[in-house]
Structure formats: C-alpha cells, structure tokens
Amino acid sequence: ADTGKKAGADSARLAPLPPPPPPPGFNVEGDAATTQALTRFMKNLEASPFIRDVALVTSEQTQTQGRTYLKFTLEARWEQPDSTLIETVAVVPVN
C-alpha cells in the first residue's frame, strides 16, 4: 500500500543555518584641515560599494606649530558589493 510519502521524508529535517557573521570592521585615524573636509571624506567612504556604516568615533581640535586641525577616528564595516556594481579590467604592464 503506497501512502504517497517518500521513505524517510519526515525524519530528514535540516537544522537552520546559524546567522552569518557580521562583516569585518575597521578604524581609520587621521587629521583633517576642516570639519567640511572630514565630512566630505566620510561621504566619499560611504559612497564606496565596499564600505558601510561609516561613523565618527572621536574628533578633537588640535594645534601644532600654529596650525589648527581635527584629529579624528572613524569606524566602518567592509561589505561584499553586488557583482553588478564592480567593473573588472585587465591589467596590462607598461614598458
């Protein structure tokens, strides 16, 4: 008598996959001449298809040899971009 069920179908259940690990993060420390320059740098990083979640961690106005600048630390995450956003080109050595 065929009941319509495949043998072992009820007993072969897959365990759910664990969630993927978070993408790797990194910090950037540097100096900027102005707040506007730092903001532009952060926006340029965020525009990259490889970088996400750019955030300012610290910013401190500093003065050295009469010049005032911002010392900053950013944190961000690397992301695998969609393959349609990446253009690959052949590298040809220049003689």
Side-chain angles (χ1 to χ4, degrees), residues 7-8 15-17 20-21 26 29 31 44-45 47 53 62 77 80 91 95:
L17 293 175
F26 61 93
E29 294 181 3
D31 302 327
N44 287 341
L45 287 174
D53 303 327
T62 306
R77 298 212 169 275
Q80 177 67 45
V91 177
N95 291 331

Side-chain angles (χ1 to χ4, degrees), residues 32-62:
T34 65
T35 304
Q36 292 81 8
L38 176 55
T39 302
R40 188 170 46 250
F41 179 62
M42 291 174 67
K43 286 181 180 181
N44 287 341
L45 287 174
E46 190 71 44
S48 167
F50 293 93
I51 300 174
R52 289 288 164 261
D53 303 327
V54 177
L56 182 63
V57 177
T58 63
S59 174
E60 176 185 349
Q61 192 169 17
T62 306

